[in-house]
Amino acid sequence: METLLVGGLKMPGVGALLRPLLLGLHRLMVGAMKRADRHWVRPRNWSNAELRQFGRLFTGDILNVSGWRDEDKNGGHYRDYFPAARSYSISNYSGECGVSGVEGEVFLDLENPLPPQLHRKYQVVLNHTTVEHVYDIRTAIANLCALSDDVVILVTPFLQQVHWIDGSFGDWWRPTPMCLNRLLAEQGFEVHYQSANDNPWYIVYVFTVARRTPVPTMPRLPASGVLAGNVGETHFGIQGKDAQ
Protein backbone atom coordinates (compact mmCIF):
# COMPACT_ATOMS: atom_id res chain seq x y z
CA MET A 1 0.00 0.00 0.00
CA GLU A 2 2.79 2.39 0.89
CA THR A 3 4.52 1.68 -2.43
CA LEU A 4 1.29 2.36 -4.36
CA LEU A 5 0.80 5.65 -2.55
CA VAL A 6 4.38 6.72 -3.24
CA GLY A 7 3.88 5.89 -6.91
CA GLY A 8 0.69 7.93 -7.03
CA LEU A 9 2.28 10.89 -5.28
CA LYS A 10 5.09 10.94 -7.86
CA MET A 11 2.71 10.96 -10.84
CA PRO A 12 2.23 14.40 -12.45
CA GLY A 13 -1.22 15.76 -11.71
CA VAL A 14 -2.29 12.77 -9.62
CA GLY A 15 0.16 13.64 -6.88
CA ALA A 16 -1.20 17.19 -6.65
CA LEU A 17 -4.67 15.75 -6.00
CA LEU A 18 -3.55 13.03 -3.58
CA ARG A 19 -1.48 15.23 -1.28
CA PRO A 20 -4.30 17.43 0.11
CA LEU A 21 -6.56 14.37 0.39
CA LEU A 22 -3.98 12.45 2.40
CA LEU A 23 -3.28 15.48 4.57
CA GLY A 24 -6.98 15.88 5.29
CA LEU A 25 -7.29 12.18 6.12
CA HIS A 26 -4.30 12.40 8.43
CA ARG A 27 -5.79 15.35 10.31
CA LEU A 28 -9.12 13.55 10.61
CA MET A 29 -7.42 10.43 12.01
CA VAL A 30 -5.33 12.48 14.44
CA GLY A 31 -8.44 14.22 15.76
CA ALA A 32 -10.30 10.93 16.18
CA MET A 33 -7.40 9.22 17.96
CA LYS A 34 -6.90 12.19 20.30
CA ARG A 35 -10.55 11.92 21.33
CA ALA A 36 -10.71 8.12 21.54
CA ASP A 37 -7.49 7.72 23.57
CA ARG A 38 -7.34 11.04 25.39
CA HIS A 39 -6.54 9.31 28.71
CA TRP A 40 -2.99 8.68 27.47
CA VAL A 41 -2.63 10.66 24.23
CA ARG A 42 -3.49 13.98 25.88
CA PRO A 43 -0.19 14.73 27.63
CA ARG A 44 -1.68 16.46 30.67
CA ASN A 45 -4.01 13.53 31.41
CA TRP A 46 -1.10 11.11 31.13
CA SER A 47 1.35 13.12 33.26
CA ASN A 48 -1.31 13.66 35.93
CA ALA A 49 -1.83 9.89 36.17
CA GLU A 50 1.93 9.39 36.49
CA LEU A 51 2.17 12.00 39.24
CA ARG A 52 -0.68 10.50 41.27
CA GLN A 53 1.20 7.26 41.84
CA PHE A 54 4.06 9.19 43.46
CA GLY A 55 2.40 12.11 45.23
CA ARG A 56 0.58 10.00 47.79
CA LEU A 57 3.88 8.60 49.10
CA PHE A 58 5.39 11.80 50.48
CA THR A 59 4.85 13.19 53.97
CA GLY A 60 7.20 16.19 53.97
CA ASP A 61 7.10 19.71 52.56
CA ILE A 62 6.19 20.00 48.87
CA LEU A 63 6.88 22.88 46.47
CA ASN A 64 5.23 23.23 43.07
CA VAL A 65 7.65 25.52 41.24
CA SER A 66 6.07 27.94 38.74
CA GLY A 67 2.74 26.27 39.49
CA TRP A 68 0.64 29.40 38.85
CA ARG A 69 -2.78 28.52 40.32
CA ASP A 70 -1.84 24.88 40.97
CA GLU A 71 -4.53 23.68 38.53
CA ASP A 72 -4.10 20.25 36.92
CA LYS A 73 -6.27 21.28 33.91
CA ASN A 74 -8.67 18.46 34.68
CA GLY A 75 -10.71 20.32 37.26
CA GLY A 76 -8.40 19.52 40.17
CA HIS A 77 -5.32 20.88 41.94
CA TYR A 78 -1.89 19.34 42.34
CA ARG A 79 -2.08 19.99 46.08
CA ASP A 80 -4.55 17.10 46.25
CA TYR A 81 -2.03 14.73 44.64
CA PHE A 82 0.00 14.91 47.88
CA PRO A 83 -2.62 14.03 50.54
CA ALA A 84 -0.05 13.09 53.23
CA ALA A 85 2.17 16.17 52.80
CA ARG A 86 3.10 18.19 55.89
CA SER A 87 2.89 21.39 53.84
CA TYR A 88 2.32 22.35 50.22
CA SER A 89 3.50 25.59 48.61
CA ILE A 90 3.58 27.18 45.16
CA SER A 91 6.25 29.40 43.66
CA ASN A 92 5.75 31.80 40.77
CA TYR A 93 7.52 34.48 38.79
CA SER A 94 6.38 37.80 37.34
CA GLY A 95 4.43 38.26 34.10
CA GLU A 96 1.34 36.61 32.70
CA CYS A 97 0.67 33.24 34.36
CA GLY A 98 2.99 34.49 37.10
CA VAL A 99 2.31 35.56 40.69
CA SER A 100 -1.20 34.42 41.58
CA GLY A 101 -1.58 35.89 45.08
CA VAL A 102 -2.39 32.62 46.83
CA GLU A 103 -1.51 32.32 50.52
CA GLY A 104 2.08 31.26 51.15
CA GLU A 105 3.17 31.83 47.54
CA VAL A 106 6.95 32.00 47.02
CA PHE A 107 8.43 34.43 44.47
CA LEU A 108 11.17 32.58 42.60
CA ASP A 109 13.25 33.34 39.51
CA LEU A 110 14.84 30.12 38.26
CA GLU A 111 17.57 32.02 36.39
CA ASN A 112 18.90 33.83 39.47
CA PRO A 113 20.76 32.55 42.54
CA LEU A 114 18.51 30.74 44.99
CA PRO A 115 17.96 32.52 48.34
CA PRO A 116 20.01 30.67 50.99
CA GLN A 117 16.97 30.09 53.22
CA LEU A 118 15.38 27.96 50.48
CA HIS A 119 18.27 25.51 50.06
CA ARG A 120 17.07 21.95 50.65
CA LYS A 121 13.92 23.24 52.31
CA TYR A 122 11.50 20.83 50.61
CA GLN A 123 11.23 17.08 50.46
CA VAL A 124 9.77 17.16 46.94
CA VAL A 125 10.11 19.80 44.24
CA LEU A 126 7.61 19.48 41.40
CA ASN A 127 8.03 21.33 38.13
CA HIS A 128 5.50 20.80 35.35
CA THR A 129 6.38 22.05 31.84
CA THR A 130 8.39 25.09 32.89
CA VAL A 131 12.09 24.50 32.17
CA GLU A 132 11.51 24.72 28.41
CA HIS A 133 10.56 28.37 29.00
CA VAL A 134 13.75 29.22 30.93
CA TYR A 135 16.64 30.18 28.66
CA ASP A 136 19.33 29.29 31.21
CA ILE A 137 18.11 25.73 31.64
CA ARG A 138 21.24 24.55 33.46
CA THR A 139 20.74 27.17 36.20
CA ALA A 140 17.03 26.33 36.35
CA ILE A 141 17.73 22.63 36.94
CA ALA A 142 20.43 23.50 39.50
CA ASN A 143 17.96 25.66 41.42
CA LEU A 144 15.24 23.01 41.33
CA CYS A 145 17.69 20.49 42.74
CA ALA A 146 18.99 22.92 45.37
CA LEU A 147 15.43 23.43 46.63
CA SER A 148 15.01 19.71 47.29
CA ASP A 149 16.38 17.62 50.11
CA ASP A 150 15.02 14.45 48.58
CA VAL A 151 13.18 14.27 45.25
CA VAL A 152 12.73 16.34 42.08
CA ILE A 153 9.82 15.56 39.76
CA LEU A 154 9.98 17.04 36.25
CA VAL A 155 7.43 17.02 33.44
CA THR A 156 9.01 18.28 30.22
CA PRO A 157 7.89 18.40 26.59
CA PHE A 158 9.79 16.30 24.08
CA LEU A 159 7.56 17.03 21.06
CA GLN A 160 5.32 20.10 21.19
CA GLN A 161 4.53 23.19 19.17
CA VAL A 162 6.43 26.37 20.04
CA HIS A 163 4.42 28.44 22.57
CA TRP A 164 5.24 31.63 24.46
CA ILE A 165 3.72 34.85 25.83
CA ASP A 166 5.33 38.17 24.86
CA GLY A 167 6.79 39.98 27.85
CA SER A 168 6.34 36.97 30.10
CA PHE A 169 8.22 33.89 28.90
CA GLY A 170 9.80 32.45 25.78
CA ASP A 171 10.10 28.89 24.52
CA TRP A 172 13.66 27.58 24.21
CA TRP A 173 14.09 23.86 24.82
CA ARG A 174 12.83 20.33 24.20
CA PRO A 175 15.25 18.35 26.42
CA THR A 176 15.80 14.69 25.62
CA PRO A 177 15.85 12.10 28.41
CA MET A 178 19.62 11.86 27.99
CA CYS A 179 19.89 15.63 28.49
CA LEU A 180 17.68 15.59 31.59
CA ASN A 181 19.56 12.71 33.15
CA ARG A 182 22.91 14.43 32.71
CA LEU A 183 21.67 17.81 33.97
CA LEU A 184 20.29 16.10 37.08
CA ALA A 185 23.44 14.04 37.58
CA GLU A 186 25.50 17.24 37.56
CA GLN A 187 23.52 18.29 40.65
CA GLY A 188 23.98 14.99 42.48
CA PHE A 189 20.60 13.50 41.55
CA GLU A 190 19.96 10.05 40.10
CA VAL A 191 16.94 9.32 37.90
CA HIS A 192 14.79 6.72 39.64
CA TYR A 193 11.81 6.65 37.27
CA GLN A 194 11.30 8.00 33.79
CA SER A 195 8.55 7.48 31.24
CA ALA A 196 7.01 9.07 28.16
CA ASN A 197 3.60 9.06 26.48
CA ASP A 198 5.22 8.38 23.12
CA ASN A 199 2.34 8.19 20.64
CA PRO A 200 1.84 8.70 16.88
CA TRP A 201 -0.83 11.38 17.20
CA TYR A 202 -0.09 14.18 19.60
CA ILE A 203 2.24 16.00 21.99
CA VAL A 204 4.84 13.88 23.79
CA TYR A 205 5.93 14.56 27.39
CA VAL A 206 8.69 13.01 29.48
CA PHE A 207 8.01 12.35 33.18
CA THR A 208 11.12 12.13 35.38
CA VAL A 209 11.55 11.36 39.08
CA ALA A 210 15.08 11.91 40.42
CA ARG A 211 16.43 11.55 43.93
CA ARG A 212 19.38 13.05 45.70
CA THR A 213 22.35 10.71 46.17
CA PRO A 214 23.21 9.28 48.55
CA VAL A 215 19.52 8.76 49.21
CA PRO A 216 18.28 10.48 52.41
CA THR A 217 15.25 9.34 54.40
CA MET A 218 12.78 8.45 51.72
CA PRO A 219 9.58 6.42 51.22
CA ARG A 220 9.62 3.32 49.10
CA LEU A 221 8.92 4.46 45.55
CA PRO A 222 7.28 2.51 42.72
CA ALA A 223 9.58 0.21 40.80
CA SER A 224 11.99 2.00 38.51
CA GLY A 225 10.57 2.67 35.07
CA VAL A 226 12.40 1.99 31.86
CA LEU A 227 14.37 5.09 30.97
CA ALA A 228 12.69 6.88 28.10
CA GLY A 229 15.86 7.02 26.03
CA ASN A 230 14.25 6.09 22.71
CA VAL A 231 11.25 8.38 23.00
CA GLY A 232 10.02 9.47 19.57
CA GLU A 233 10.24 6.10 17.90
CA THR A 234 6.50 5.51 18.16
CA HIS A 235 5.66 9.05 17.12
CA PHE A 236 7.75 8.83 13.97
CA GLY A 237 7.12 5.12 13.33
CA ILE A 238 10.76 4.17 13.07
CA GLN A 239 11.01 1.15 15.39
CA GLY A 240 13.40 -1.34 13.86
CA LYS A 241 14.12 0.99 10.93
CA ASP A 242 17.10 3.12 10.04
CA ALA A 243 16.36 6.56 11.54
CA GLN A 244 18.99 8.32 9.46
Side-chain angles (χ1 to χ4, degrees):
M1 180 63 73
E2 182 178 329
T3 301
L4 289 174
L5 280 175
V6 171
L9 288 167
K10 289 183 175 181
M11 292 177 61
V14 175
L17 294 174
L18 276 177
R19 289 177 188 277
L21 289 174
L22 290 174
L23 179 59
L25 179 61
H26 173 72
R27 288 175 174 168
L28 179 65
M29 293 172 62
V30 167
M33 289 297 293
K34 281 162 55 179
R35 292 173 61 186
D37 290 333
R38 63 178 295 140
H39 62 286
W40 69 274
V41 170
R42 185 170 184 259
R44 180 72 65 153
N45 291 25
W46 171 81
S47 62
N48 287 349
E50 288 286 88
L51 181 60
R52 280 192 182 95
Q53 69 173 320
F54 287 93
R56 60 184 173 79
L57 303 173
F58 298 105
T59 58
D61 300 314
I62 315 298
L63 179 66
N64 182 358
V65 176
S66 300
W68 196 32
R69 295 175 179 169
D70 198 48
E71 296 167 342
D72 69 357
K73 297 190 178 180
N74 278 307
H77 294 84
Y78 286 120
R79 177 186 302 273
D80 299 326
Y81 288 44
F82 297 86
R86 178 171 55 203
S87 71
Y88 185 94
S89 303
I90 305 167
S91 85
N92 276 308
Y93 184 55
S94 58
E96 191 171 341
C97 299
V99 174
S100 63
V102 299
E103 185 178 356
E105 185 175 33
V106 178
F107 181 82
L108 188 62
D109 181 356
L110 288 176
E111 287 191 301
N112 282 324
L114 189 69
Q117 66 271 23
L118 295 181
H119 276 260
R120 300 184 69 162
K121 181 176 180 178
Y122 303 94
Q123 181 189 22
V124 178
V125 172
L126 165 66
N127 186 244
H128 196 301
T129 53
T130 296
V131 294
E132 72 270 22
H133 299 300
V134 183
Y135 181 70
D136 189 351
I137 190 172
R138 178 170 268 123
T139 297
I141 295 293
N143 279 331
L144 291 171
C145 291
L147 286 162
S148 173
D149 189 50
D150 206 337
V151 170
V152 170
I153 301 176
L154 300 176
V155 183
T156 51
F158 176 75
L159 292 170
Q160 186 176 9
Q161 75 279 13
V162 174
H163 54 293
W164 76 95
I165 297 177
D166 284 333
S168 185
F169 57 83
D171 192 0
W172 309 102
W173 311 107
R174 297 294 181 270
T176 65
M178 185 180 295
C179 173
L180 291 168
N181 298 349
R182 183 162 179 177
L183 287 171
L184 289 162
E186 288 176 351
Q187 304 304 320
F189 279 72
E190 178 183 0
V191 172
H192 172 82
Y193 180 95
Q194 192 173 60
S195 58
N197 66 321
D198 199 358
N199 70 90
W201 306 107
Y202 202 38
I203 293 166
V204 177
Y205 280 175
V206 174
F207 180 89
T208 303
V209 178
R211 57 187 182 179
R212 185 179 289 278
T213 55
V215 180
T217 303
M218 188 176 189
R220 181 176 178 85
L221 297 185
S224 298
V226 176
L227 297 188
N230 294 326
V231 61
E233 287 187 341
T234 299
H235 187 91
F236 294 108
I238 59 172
Q239 298 100 319
K241 296 183 179 180
D242 185 0
Q244 300 300 317

